[in-house]
Amino acid sequence: MARTIATSVIFLISCASLWAQNPIALEYNELKLREEFSDQNDNWTYMTTVENLYMPDKGDLFMHRNNLSSAYAFITKWKNEMRTFSIMTRVKLGPSETADQSIGIICLAQRDGKGGVVVEFNKFKQYRIKQLIGAYYRPISGTAEEQGWVKSGLVRAKEDYNELEVRVALPQVDVYINGKFAQSFDVANYGPGEMGLIIGPNTKAKADYFYVYSTADEAAKEEERIVENSQGTSTAEQLSKMRYDLEHKNRTISECETERIKAVSLLEEEKGQLLAENEKLALQNRQLAEFRDQVLVDIDEDVFLTLVENLKQEVVKNERLESQMQVYRDSLKQTHANYNKLKLALLDKSIAKGQKEKAEREKQVSIATKNEIEKELLDKKMMKEQEEWEKKNFKPGTAPTPAAPAQKKAATAAKLEKSDKVEQKPAAPTSGPLPVKVKKAEKQPD
């Protein structure tokens, strides 16, 4: 147990010494690569595919990784042979609904594919530093549980640009975020490697620039290496290069000749068009000159000026009349529209009045018909009662009694009073049946 604790203490002390090492105190003032992403050049492999889109856009490099599971390293074709250098870039994340989008720098990517360093940040104001070991990444910052992500106030919001700087003096690497020191660490057995930008899965981002600096000493060493490499080039390689250059020049000359022939053909065609237009203009000039000589030869200059002035006044007068005519047309059009509106309103009013009168007539006819039917039914009822009364009070072959019973007379009078639409009838003679007036219902006109 004590041995385990001692081992842990030694590990913590070594880690503390690793994190507490002094930052690199070198001046990186020799510009080796300056990329503003204003247009396409030979330093990058621009592409437009289903999963990747990397194109200059209004002074920025627009990047879109359309893959949900893996990141992509956008490596520059500029070759780095320096062991002491600095990379600076200014990048920001675009809008996205996923949580795992990220953008950053990849550097010291070893040519055997078994090493590299990545510095990136996400939209949660976190940064991460990780090292490529074999086919896997090992987090250098943070913890394994957090996958190396570290919450830091150095990282700005996702809508803002963040400036990342990686200073390298192998084996030491320093990381700066927005001009402030973030972390320092060592990478063992690393040589000069490739560099570029790395974009996370399903991420949209922009890069403002990408600069590479070195120290004065490293710049001098690089020049010496270039001279040594050029001196060590074999004669066969030089001849191969000369042959390639000669073939390239021959192809260029052939292409230039083809372009020259095309240009000459186009110029000849344009020349023919210009000659035809010149001839047409010359003919028009001759016609105008003939008109001037034939018509205006005997006209005095003052008379000509007077005619021109009169013509001008006529033109102005015609324009004024045309303007007035347009006003009259607009007024007539408006009057016609108002007339149509008034006509429609009167028609609607007449239709409504006719419908109202028709409804009133139909109502009056309905009431009159109802009264006639009620009166006819009442008359039939009275005739039936009269017949029943006669059958009851008179026997066949006998004359009617001198007078009708008083009860029947009273009942008949009461029934006659119940109808407010039927006239009062005079009392019937006692010696015969009561007279009944029957009137059929007449059809009223519509």
PDB file of all heavy atoms in Angstrom, residues 149-184:
ATOM      1  N   TRP A 149     -11.315  17.054 -22.938  1.00  0.00           N
ATOM      2  CA  TRP A 149     -11.879  18.402 -23.021  1.00  0.00           C
ATOM      3  C   TRP A 149     -11.691  19.136 -21.696  1.00  0.00           C
ATOM      4  O   TRP A 149     -11.900  18.576 -20.624  1.00  0.00           O
ATOM      5  CB  TRP A 149     -13.359  18.371 -23.372  1.00  0.00           C
ATOM      6  CG  TRP A 149     -13.632  17.944 -24.789  1.00  0.00           C
ATOM      7  CD1 TRP A 149     -14.180  16.779 -25.204  1.00  0.00           C
ATOM      8  CD2 TRP A 149     -13.364  18.708 -25.965  1.00  0.00           C
ATOM      9  NE1 TRP A 149     -14.275  16.737 -26.569  1.00  0.00           N
ATOM     10  CE2 TRP A 149     -13.773  17.925 -27.077  1.00  0.00           C
ATOM     11  CE3 TRP A 149     -12.805  19.957 -26.211  1.00  0.00           C
ATOM     12  CZ2 TRP A 149     -13.652  18.355 -28.383  1.00  0.00           C
ATOM     13  CZ3 TRP A 149     -12.682  20.387 -27.514  1.00  0.00           C
ATOM     14  CH2 TRP A 149     -13.105  19.602 -28.589  1.00  0.00           C
ATOM     15  N   VAL A 150     -11.312  20.420 -21.799  1.00  0.00           N
ATOM     16  CA  VAL A 150     -11.060  21.252 -20.620  1.00  0.00           C
ATOM     17  C   VAL A 150     -11.868  22.531 -20.770  1.00  0.00           C
ATOM     18  O   VAL A 150     -11.748  23.235 -21.788  1.00  0.00           O
ATOM     19  CB  VAL A 150      -9.561  21.588 -20.478  1.00  0.00           C
ATOM     20  CG1 VAL A 150      -9.341  22.507 -19.280  1.00  0.00           C
ATOM     21  CG2 VAL A 150      -8.743  20.315 -20.322  1.00  0.00           C
ATOM     22  N   LYS A 151     -12.697  22.835 -19.785  1.00  0.00           N
ATOM     23  CA  LYS A 151     -13.452  24.090 -19.770  1.00  0.00           C
ATOM     24  C   LYS A 151     -12.503  25.231 -19.464  1.00  0.00           C
ATOM     25  O   LYS A 151     -11.744  25.171 -18.498  1.00  0.00           O
ATOM     26  CB  LYS A 151     -14.562  24.021 -18.722  1.00  0.00           C
ATOM     27  CG  LYS A 151     -15.494  25.212 -18.709  1.00  0.00           C
ATOM     28  CD  LYS A 151     -16.481  25.151 -19.845  1.00  0.00           C
ATOM     29  CE  LYS A 151     -17.541  26.247 -19.727  1.00  0.00           C
ATOM     30  NZ  LYS A 151     -18.527  26.207 -20.799  1.00  0.00           N
ATOM     31  N   SER A 152     -12.524  26.276 -20.303  1.00  0.00           N
ATOM     32  CA  SER A 152     -11.569  27.359 -20.121  1.00  0.00           C
ATOM     33  C   SER A 152     -12.173  28.682 -20.545  1.00  0.00           C
ATOM     34  O   SER A 152     -12.909  28.757 -21.536  1.00  0.00           O
ATOM     35  CB  SER A 152     -10.298  27.086 -20.940  1.00  0.00           C
ATOM     36  OG  SER A 152      -9.413  28.181 -20.880  1.00  0.00           O
ATOM     37  N   GLY A 153     -11.830  29.718 -19.779  1.00  0.00           N
ATOM     38  CA  GLY A 153     -12.261  31.063 -20.141  1.00  0.00           C
ATOM     39  C   GLY A 153     -11.461  31.649 -21.280  1.00  0.00           C
ATOM     40  O   GLY A 153     -11.805  32.726 -21.788  1.00  0.00           O
ATOM     41  N   LEU A 154     -10.420  30.959 -21.729  1.00  0.00           N
ATOM     42  CA  LEU A 154      -9.646  31.437 -22.872  1.00  0.00           C
ATOM     43  C   LEU A 154     -10.411  31.294 -24.177  1.00  0.00           C
ATOM     44  O   LEU A 154     -10.161  32.023 -25.141  1.00  0.00           O
ATOM     45  CB  LEU A 154      -8.315  30.670 -22.963  1.00  0.00           C
ATOM     46  CG  LEU A 154      -7.388  30.755 -21.748  1.00  0.00           C
ATOM     47  CD1 LEU A 154      -6.147  29.903 -21.991  1.00  0.00           C
ATOM     48  CD2 LEU A 154      -7.001  32.191 -21.452  1.00  0.00           C
ATOM     49  N   VAL A 155     -11.336  30.323 -24.236  1.00  0.00           N
ATOM     50  CA  VAL A 155     -12.096  30.067 -25.459  1.00  0.00           C
ATOM     51  C   VAL A 155     -13.316  30.969 -25.501  1.00  0.00           C
ATOM     52  O   VAL A 155     -14.073  31.060 -24.526  1.00  0.00           O
ATOM     53  CB  VAL A 155     -12.512  28.583 -25.540  1.00  0.00           C
ATOM     54  CG1 VAL A 155     -13.242  28.316 -26.851  1.00  0.00           C
ATOM     55  CG2 VAL A 155     -11.303  27.673 -25.398  1.00  0.00           C
ATOM     56  N   ARG A 156     -13.504  31.625 -26.614  1.00  0.00           N
ATOM     57  CA  ARG A 156     -14.651  32.519 -26.774  1.00  0.00           C
ATOM     58  C   ARG A 156     -15.880  31.732 -27.210  1.00  0.00           C
ATOM     59  O   ARG A 156     -15.803  30.536 -27.485  1.00  0.00           O
ATOM     60  CB  ARG A 156     -14.331  33.603 -27.804  1.00  0.00           C
ATOM     61  CG  ARG A 156     -13.194  34.523 -27.365  1.00  0.00           C
ATOM     62  CD  ARG A 156     -12.766  35.415 -28.496  1.00  0.00           C
ATOM     63  NE  ARG A 156     -11.633  36.257 -28.106  1.00  0.00           N
ATOM     64  CZ  ARG A 156     -10.802  36.828 -28.961  1.00  0.00           C
ATOM     65  NH1 ARG A 156     -10.980  36.645 -30.270  1.00  0.00           N
ATOM     66  NH2 ARG A 156      -9.796  37.562 -28.540  1.00  0.00           N
ATOM     67  N   ALA A 157     -17.010  32.454 -27.297  1.00  0.00           N
ATOM     68  CA  ALA A 157     -18.264  31.804 -27.689  1.00  0.00           C
ATOM     69  C   ALA A 157     -18.151  31.284 -29.119  1.00  0.00           C
ATOM     70  O   ALA A 157     -17.289  31.692 -29.899  1.00  0.00           O
ATOM     71  CB  ALA A 157     -19.428  32.790 -27.571  1.00  0.00           C
ATOM     72  N   LYS A 158     -19.071  30.370 -29.458  1.00  0.00           N
ATOM     73  CA  LYS A 158     -18.989  29.690 -30.763  1.00  0.00           C
ATOM     74  C   LYS A 158     -19.216  30.644 -31.930  1.00  0.00           C
ATOM     75  O   LYS A 158     -18.786  30.370 -33.046  1.00  0.00           O
ATOM     76  CB  LYS A 158     -19.988  28.550 -30.827  1.00  0.00           C
ATOM     77  CG  LYS A 158     -21.444  29.009 -30.812  1.00  0.00           C
ATOM     78  CD  LYS A 158     -22.377  27.828 -30.971  1.00  0.00           C
ATOM     79  CE  LYS A 158     -23.833  28.289 -31.016  1.00  0.00           C
ATOM     80  NZ  LYS A 158     -24.752  27.167 -31.221  1.00  0.00           N
ATOM     81  N   GLU A 159     -19.893  31.788 -31.704  1.00  0.00           N
ATOM     82  CA  GLU A 159     -20.129  32.723 -32.795  1.00  0.00           C
ATOM     83  C   GLU A 159     -18.913  33.581 -33.092  1.00  0.00           C
ATOM     84  O   GLU A 159     -18.881  34.282 -34.104  1.00  0.00           O
ATOM     85  CB  GLU A 159     -21.326  33.630 -32.469  1.00  0.00           C
ATOM     86  CG  GLU A 159     -22.658  32.926 -32.393  1.00  0.00           C
ATOM     87  CD  GLU A 159     -22.890  32.290 -31.040  1.00  0.00           C
ATOM     88  OE1 GLU A 159     -22.032  32.492 -30.159  1.00  0.00           O
ATOM     89  OE2 GLU A 159     -23.907  31.591 -30.859  1.00  0.00           O
ATOM     90  N   ASP A 160     -17.904  33.567 -32.209  1.00  0.00           N
ATOM     91  CA  ASP A 160     -16.733  34.420 -32.357  1.00  0.00           C
ATOM     92  C   ASP A 160     -15.551  33.620 -32.898  1.00  0.00           C
ATOM     93  O   ASP A 160     -15.480  32.397 -32.753  1.00  0.00           O
ATOM     94  CB  ASP A 160     -16.346  35.038 -31.010  1.00  0.00           C
ATOM     95  CG  ASP A 160     -17.443  35.933 -30.455  1.00  0.00           C
ATOM     96  OD1 ASP A 160     -18.199  36.495 -31.267  1.00  0.00           O
ATOM     97  OD2 ASP A 160     -17.540  36.046 -29.224  1.00  0.00           O
ATOM     98  N   TYR A 161     -14.624  34.367 -33.505  1.00  0.00           N
ATOM     99  CA  TYR A 161     -13.375  33.754 -33.938  1.00  0.00           C
ATOM    100  C   TYR A 161     -12.483  33.488 -32.721  1.00  0.00           C
ATOM    101  O   TYR A 161     -12.462  34.269 -31.767  1.00  0.00           O
ATOM    102  CB  TYR A 161     -12.633  34.667 -34.911  1.00  0.00           C
ATOM    103  CG  TYR A 161     -13.139  34.592 -36.327  1.00  0.00           C
ATOM    104  CD1 TYR A 161     -14.049  35.528 -36.814  1.00  0.00           C
ATOM    105  CD2 TYR A 161     -12.690  33.595 -37.187  1.00  0.00           C
ATOM    106  CE1 TYR A 161     -14.503  35.466 -38.124  1.00  0.00           C
ATOM    107  CE2 TYR A 161     -13.150  33.528 -38.501  1.00  0.00           C
ATOM    108  CZ  TYR A 161     -14.044  34.457 -38.952  1.00  0.00           C
ATOM    109  OH  TYR A 161     -14.497  34.391 -40.251  1.00  0.00           O
ATOM    110  N   ASN A 162     -11.751  32.379 -32.755  1.00  0.00           N
ATOM    111  CA  ASN A 162     -10.742  32.055 -31.754  1.00  0.00           C
ATOM    112  C   ASN A 162      -9.401  31.909 -32.463  1.00  0.00           C
ATOM    113  O   ASN A 162      -9.304  31.234 -33.495  1.00  0.00           O
ATOM    114  CB  ASN A 162     -11.083  30.748 -31.026  1.00  0.00           C
ATOM    115  CG  ASN A 162     -12.175  30.938 -29.988  1.00  0.00           C
ATOM    116  OD1 ASN A 162     -11.917  31.346 -28.864  1.00  0.00           O
ATOM    117  ND2 ASN A 162     -13.413  30.664 -30.376  1.00  0.00           N
ATOM    118  N   GLU A 163      -8.394  32.551 -31.901  1.00  0.00           N
ATOM    119  CA  GLU A 163      -7.052  32.485 -32.470  1.00  0.00           C
ATOM    120  C   GLU A 163      -6.263  31.391 -31.757  1.00  0.00           C
ATOM    121  O   GLU A 163      -6.111  31.419 -30.526  1.00  0.00           O
ATOM    122  CB  GLU A 163      -6.342  33.826 -32.332  1.00  0.00           C
ATOM    123  CG  GLU A 163      -4.992  33.863 -33.029  1.00  0.00           C
ATOM    124  CD  GLU A 163      -4.320  35.218 -32.897  1.00  0.00           C
ATOM    125  OE1 GLU A 163      -3.850  35.519 -31.787  1.00  0.00           O
ATOM    126  OE2 GLU A 163      -4.275  35.962 -33.890  1.00  0.00           O
ATOM    127  N   LEU A 164      -5.766  30.432 -32.510  1.00  0.00           N
ATOM    128  CA  LEU A 164      -4.968  29.336 -31.971  1.00  0.00           C
ATOM    129  C   LEU A 164      -3.536  29.494 -32.459  1.00  0.00           C
ATOM    130  O   LEU A 164      -3.291  29.806 -33.627  1.00  0.00           O
ATOM    131  CB  LEU A 164      -5.518  27.979 -32.430  1.00  0.00           C
ATOM    132  CG  LEU A 164      -6.974  27.662 -32.071  1.00  0.00           C
ATOM    133  CD1 LEU A 164      -7.345  26.292 -32.626  1.00  0.00           C
ATOM    134  CD2 LEU A 164      -7.187  27.702 -30.568  1.00  0.00           C
ATOM    135  N   GLU A 165      -2.587  29.253 -31.558  1.00  0.00           N
ATOM    136  CA  GLU A 165      -1.165  29.296 -31.904  1.00  0.00           C
ATOM    137  C   GLU A 165      -0.468  28.096 -31.275  1.00  0.00           C
ATOM    138  O   GLU A 165      -0.652  27.825 -30.076  1.00  0.00           O
ATOM    139  CB  GLU A 165      -0.514  30.593 -31.437  1.00  0.00           C
ATOM    140  CG  GLU A 165       0.958  30.668 -31.826  1.00  0.00           C
ATOM    141  CD  GLU A 165       1.621  31.949 -31.345  1.00  0.00           C
ATOM    142  OE1 GLU A 165       0.958  32.740 -30.645  1.00  0.00           O
ATOM    143  OE2 GLU A 165       2.813  32.133 -31.668  1.00  0.00           O
ATOM    144  N   VAL A 166       0.320  27.400 -32.077  1.00  0.00           N
ATOM    145  CA  VAL A 166       1.115  26.270 -31.605  1.00  0.00           C
ATOM    146  C   VAL A 166       2.577  26.594 -31.879  1.00  0.00           C
ATOM    147  O   VAL A 166       2.971  26.756 -33.042  1.00  0.00           O
ATOM    148  CB  VAL A 166       0.706  24.958 -32.306  1.00  0.00           C
ATOM    149  CG1 VAL A 166       1.597  23.820 -31.824  1.00  0.00           C
ATOM    150  CG2 VAL A 166      -0.759  24.641 -32.045  1.00  0.00           C
ATOM    151  N   ARG A 167       3.365  26.707 -30.801  1.00  0.00           N
ATOM    152  CA  ARG A 167       4.809  26.963 -30.934  1.00  0.00           C
ATOM    153  C   ARG A 167       5.552  25.660 -30.689  1.00  0.00           C
ATOM    154  O   ARG A 167       5.309  24.980 -29.690  1.00  0.00           O
ATOM    155  CB  ARG A 167       5.262  28.029 -29.940  1.00  0.00           C
ATOM    156  CG  ARG A 167       4.586  29.383 -30.160  1.00  0.00           C
ATOM    157  CD  ARG A 167       5.083  30.416 -29.163  1.00  0.00           C
ATOM    158  NE  ARG A 167       4.418  31.699 -29.346  1.00  0.00           N
ATOM    159  CZ  ARG A 167       4.659  32.788 -28.603  1.00  0.00           C
ATOM    160  NH1 ARG A 167       5.572  32.718 -27.621  1.00  0.00           N
ATOM    161  NH2 ARG A 167       4.007  33.900 -28.841  1.00  0.00           N
ATOM    162  N   VAL A 168       6.456  25.373 -31.606  1.00  0.00           N
ATOM    163  CA  VAL A 168       7.169  24.097 -31.554  1.00  0.00           C
ATOM    164  C   VAL A 168       8.662  24.371 -31.521  1.00  0.00           C
ATOM    165  O   VAL A 168       9.187  25.156 -32.334  1.00  0.00           O
ATOM    166  CB  VAL A 168       6.816  23.218 -32.770  1.00  0.00           C
ATOM    167  CG1 VAL A 168       7.612  21.914 -32.728  1.00  0.00           C
ATOM    168  CG2 VAL A 168       5.320  22.949 -32.810  1.00  0.00           C
ATOM    169  N   ALA A 169       9.349  23.748 -30.584  1.00  0.00           N
ATOM    170  CA  ALA A 169      10.816  23.676 -30.536  1.00  0.00           C
ATOM    171  C   ALA A 169      11.116  22.276 -30.022  1.00  0.00           C
ATOM    172  O   ALA A 169      11.266  22.060 -28.817  1.00  0.00           O
ATOM    173  CB  ALA A 169      11.406  24.753 -29.633  1.00  0.00           C
ATOM    174  N   LEU A 170      11.095  21.336 -30.953  1.00  0.00           N
ATOM    175  CA  LEU A 170      11.138  19.923 -30.574  1.00  0.00           C
ATOM    176  C   LEU A 170      12.225  19.634 -29.541  1.00  0.00           C
ATOM    177  O   LEU A 170      13.338  20.121 -29.649  1.00  0.00           O
ATOM    178  CB  LEU A 170      11.342  19.071 -31.836  1.00  0.00           C
ATOM    179  CG  LEU A 170      10.146  19.007 -32.783  1.00  0.00           C
ATOM    180  CD1 LEU A 170      10.501  18.225 -34.044  1.00  0.00           C
ATOM    181  CD2 LEU A 170       8.949  18.392 -32.112  1.00  0.00           C
ATOM    182  N   PRO A 171      11.817  18.870 -28.526  1.00  0.00           N
ATOM    183  CA  PRO A 171      10.559  18.096 -28.388  1.00  0.00           C
ATOM    184  C   PRO A 171       9.426  18.859 -27.705  1.00  0.00           C
ATOM    185  O   PRO A 171       8.377  18.298 -27.468  1.00  0.00           O
ATOM    186  CB  PRO A 171      11.007  16.930 -27.514  1.00  0.00           C
ATOM    187  CG  PRO A 171      12.037  17.526 -26.623  1.00  0.00           C
ATOM    188  CD  PRO A 171      12.794  18.527 -27.464  1.00  0.00           C
ATOM    189  N   GLN A 172       9.604  20.158 -27.373  1.00  0.00           N
ATOM    190  CA  GLN A 172       8.587  20.887 -26.613  1.00  0.00           C
ATOM    191  C   GLN A 172       7.568  21.516 -27.556  1.00  0.00           C
ATOM    192  O   GLN A 172       7.896  21.999 -28.648  1.00  0.00           O
ATOM    193  CB  GLN A 172       9.231  21.969 -25.740  1.00  0.00           C
ATOM    194  CG  GLN A 172       8.236  22.688 -24.842  1.00  0.00           C
ATOM    195  CD  GLN A 172       8.905  23.651 -23.886  1.00  0.00           C
ATOM    196  OE1 GLN A 172      10.105  23.538 -23.624  1.00  0.00           O
ATOM    197  NE2 GLN A 172       8.155  24.586 -23.338  1.00  0.00           N
ATOM    198  N   VAL A 173       6.310  21.526 -27.086  1.00  0.00           N
ATOM    199  CA  VAL A 173       5.205  22.150 -27.817  1.00  0.00           C
ATOM    200  C   VAL A 173       4.419  23.016 -26.846  1.00  0.00           C
ATOM    201  O   VAL A 173       4.029  22.552 -25.765  1.00  0.00           O
ATOM    202  CB  VAL A 173       4.271  21.095 -28.455  1.00  0.00           C
ATOM    203  CG1 VAL A 173       3.135  21.776 -29.198  1.00  0.00           C
ATOM    204  CG2 VAL A 173       5.044  20.175 -29.387  1.00  0.00           C
ATOM    205  N   ASP A 174       4.187  24.270 -27.200  1.00  0.00           N
ATOM    206  CA  ASP A 174       3.378  25.194 -26.396  1.00  0.00           C
ATOM    207  C   ASP A 174       2.114  25.551 -27.157  1.00  0.00           C
ATOM    208  O   ASP A 174       2.140  25.725 -28.384  1.00  0.00           O
ATOM    209  CB  ASP A 174       4.151  26.479 -26.081  1.00  0.00           C
ATOM    210  CG  ASP A 174       5.346  26.222 -25.172  1.00  0.00           C
ATOM    211  OD1 ASP A 174       5.457  25.105 -24.639  1.00  0.00           O
ATOM    212  OD2 ASP A 174       6.185  27.141 -25.024  1.00  0.00           O
ATOM    213  N   VAL A 175       1.013  25.692 -26.415  1.00  0.00           N
ATOM    214  CA  VAL A 175      -0.284  26.030 -27.001  1.00  0.00           C
ATOM    215  C   VAL A 175      -0.763  27.354 -26.426  1.00  0.00           C
ATOM    216  O   VAL A 175      -0.773  27.537 -25.200  1.00  0.00           O
ATOM    217  CB  VAL A 175      -1.322  24.928 -26.739  1.00  0.00           C
ATOM    218  CG1 VAL A 175      -2.686  25.340 -27.277  1.00  0.00           C
ATOM    219  CG2 VAL A 175      -0.883  23.615 -27.367  1.00  0.00           C
ATOM    220  N   TYR A 176      -1.162  28.273 -27.306  1.00  0.00           N
ATOM    221  CA  TYR A 176      -1.732  29.562 -26.932  1.00  0.00           C
ATOM    222  C   TYR A 176      -3.135  29.673 -27.528  1.00  0.00           C
ATOM    223  O   TYR A 176      -3.359  29.291 -28.686  1.00  0.00           O
ATOM    224  CB  TYR A 176      -0.866  30.717 -27.431  1.00  0.00           C
ATOM    225  CG  TYR A 176       0.468  30.845 -26.722  1.00  0.00           C
ATOM    226  CD1 TYR A 176       1.537  30.023 -27.055  1.00  0.00           C
ATOM    227  CD2 TYR A 176       0.648  31.794 -25.720  1.00  0.00           C
ATOM    228  CE1 TYR A 176       2.762  30.133 -26.407  1.00  0.00           C
ATOM    229  CE2 TYR A 176       1.874  31.919 -25.070  1.00  0.00           C
ATOM    230  CZ  TYR A 176       2.926  31.080 -25.412  1.00  0.00           C
ATOM    231  OH  TYR A 176       4.128  31.195 -24.756  1.00  0.00           O
ATOM    232  N   ILE A 177      -4.061  30.217 -26.730  1.00  0.00           N
ATOM    233  CA  ILE A 177      -5.435  30.427 -27.187  1.00  0.00           C
ATOM    234  C   ILE A 177      -5.774  31.893 -27.001  1.00  0.00           C
ATOM    235  O   ILE A 177      -5.736  32.403 -25.870  1.00  0.00           O
ATOM    236  CB  ILE A 177      -6.437  29.540 -26.424  1.00  0.00           C
ATOM    237  CG1 ILE A 177      -6.091  28.058 -26.615  1.00  0.00           C
ATOM    238  CG2 ILE A 177      -7.870  29.804 -26.896  1.00  0.00           C
ATOM    239  CD1 ILE A 177      -6.954  27.119 -25.803  1.00  0.00           C
ATOM    240  N   ASN A 178      -6.074  32.571 -28.110  1.00  0.00           N
ATOM    241  CA  ASN A 178      -6.393  34.002 -28.097  1.00  0.00           C
ATOM    242  C   ASN A 178      -5.295  34.816 -27.418  1.00  0.00           C
ATOM    243  O   ASN A 178      -5.552  35.725 -26.625  1.00  0.00           O
ATOM    244  CB  ASN A 178      -7.747  34.247 -27.423  1.00  0.00           C
ATOM    245  CG  ASN A 178      -8.895  33.679 -28.236  1.00  0.00           C
ATOM    246  OD1 ASN A 178      -8.959  33.840 -29.444  1.00  0.00           O
ATOM    247  ND2 ASN A 178      -9.805  32.974 -27.560  1.00  0.00           N
ATOM    248  N   GLY A 179      -4.047  34.456 -27.734  1.00  0.00           N
ATOM    249  CA  GLY A 179      -2.893  35.202 -27.261  1.00  0.00           C
ATOM    250  C   GLY A 179      -2.445  34.882 -25.856  1.00  0.00           C
ATOM    251  O   GLY A 179      -1.478  35.490 -25.376  1.00  0.00           O
ATOM    252  N   LYS A 180      -3.109  33.924 -25.186  1.00  0.00           N
ATOM    253  CA  LYS A 180      -2.753  33.597 -23.804  1.00  0.00           C
ATOM    254  C   LYS A 180      -2.297  32.143 -23.722  1.00  0.00           C
ATOM    255  O   LYS A 180      -2.862  31.266 -24.370  1.00  0.00           O
ATOM    256  CB  LYS A 180      -3.943  33.843 -22.872  1.00  0.00           C
ATOM    257  CG  LYS A 180      -4.351  35.306 -22.819  1.00  0.00           C
ATOM    258  CD  LYS A 180      -5.499  35.529 -21.846  1.00  0.00           C
ATOM    259  CE  LYS A 180      -5.891  36.999 -21.788  1.00  0.00           C
ATOM    260  NZ  LYS A 180      -7.018  37.226 -20.840  1.00  0.00           N
ATOM    261  N   PHE A 181      -1.244  31.932 -22.878  1.00  0.00           N
ATOM    262  CA  PHE A 181      -0.662  30.603 -22.745  1.00  0.00           C
ATOM    263  C   PHE A 181      -1.679  29.639 -22.115  1.00  0.00           C
ATOM    264  O   PHE A 181      -2.326  29.961 -21.120  1.00  0.00           O
ATOM    265  CB  PHE A 181       0.592  30.685 -21.867  1.00  0.00           C
ATOM    266  CG  PHE A 181       1.240  29.359 -21.616  1.00  0.00           C
ATOM    267  CD1 PHE A 181       2.000  28.743 -22.590  1.00  0.00           C
ATOM    268  CD2 PHE A 181       1.074  28.707 -20.403  1.00  0.00           C
ATOM    269  CE1 PHE A 181       2.601  27.512 -22.368  1.00  0.00           C
ATOM    270  CE2 PHE A 181       1.663  27.485 -20.173  1.00  0.00           C
ATOM    271  CZ  PHE A 181       2.430  26.878 -21.157  1.00  0.00           C
ATOM    272  N   ALA A 182      -1.811  28.440 -22.743  1.00  0.00           N
ATOM    273  CA  ALA A 182      -2.762  27.450 -22.238  1.00  0.00           C
ATOM    274  C   ALA A 182      -2.059  26.234 -21.660  1.00  0.00           C
ATOM    275  O   ALA A 182      -2.384  25.792 -20.551  1.00  0.00           O
ATOM    276  CB  ALA A 182      -3.716  27.016 -23.359  1.00  0.00           C
ATOM    277  N   GLN A 183      -1.063  25.664 -22.376  1.00  0.00           N
ATOM    278  CA  GLN A 183      -0.460  24.413 -21.913  1.00  0.00           C
ATOM    279  C   GLN A 183       0.846  24.175 -22.663  1.00  0.00           C
ATOM    280  O   GLN A 183       1.029  24.632 -23.788  1.00  0.00           O
ATOM    281  CB  GLN A 183      -1.426  23.235 -22.143  1.00  0.00           C
ATOM    282  CG  GLN A 183      -1.036  21.952 -21.454  1.00  0.00           C
ATOM    283  CD  GLN A 183      -2.159  20.926 -21.490  1.00  0.00           C
ATOM    284  OE1 GLN A 183      -3.322  21.298 -21.539  1.00  0.00           O
ATOM    285  NE2 GLN A 183      -1.805  19.661 -21.458  1.00  0.00           N
ATOM    286  N   SER A 184       1.740  23.422 -22.009  1.00  0.00           N
ATOM    287  CA  SER A 184       3.010  23.043 -22.601  1.00  0.00           C
ATOM    288  C   SER A 184       3.245  21.557 -22.355  1.00  0.00           C
ATOM    289  O   SER A 184       2.895  21.036 -21.294  1.00  0.00           O
ATOM    290  CB  SER A 184       4.150  23.872 -22.012  1.00  0.00           C
ATOM    291  OG  SER A 184       5.381  23.513 -22.595  1.00  0.00           O
TER     292      SER A 184
END
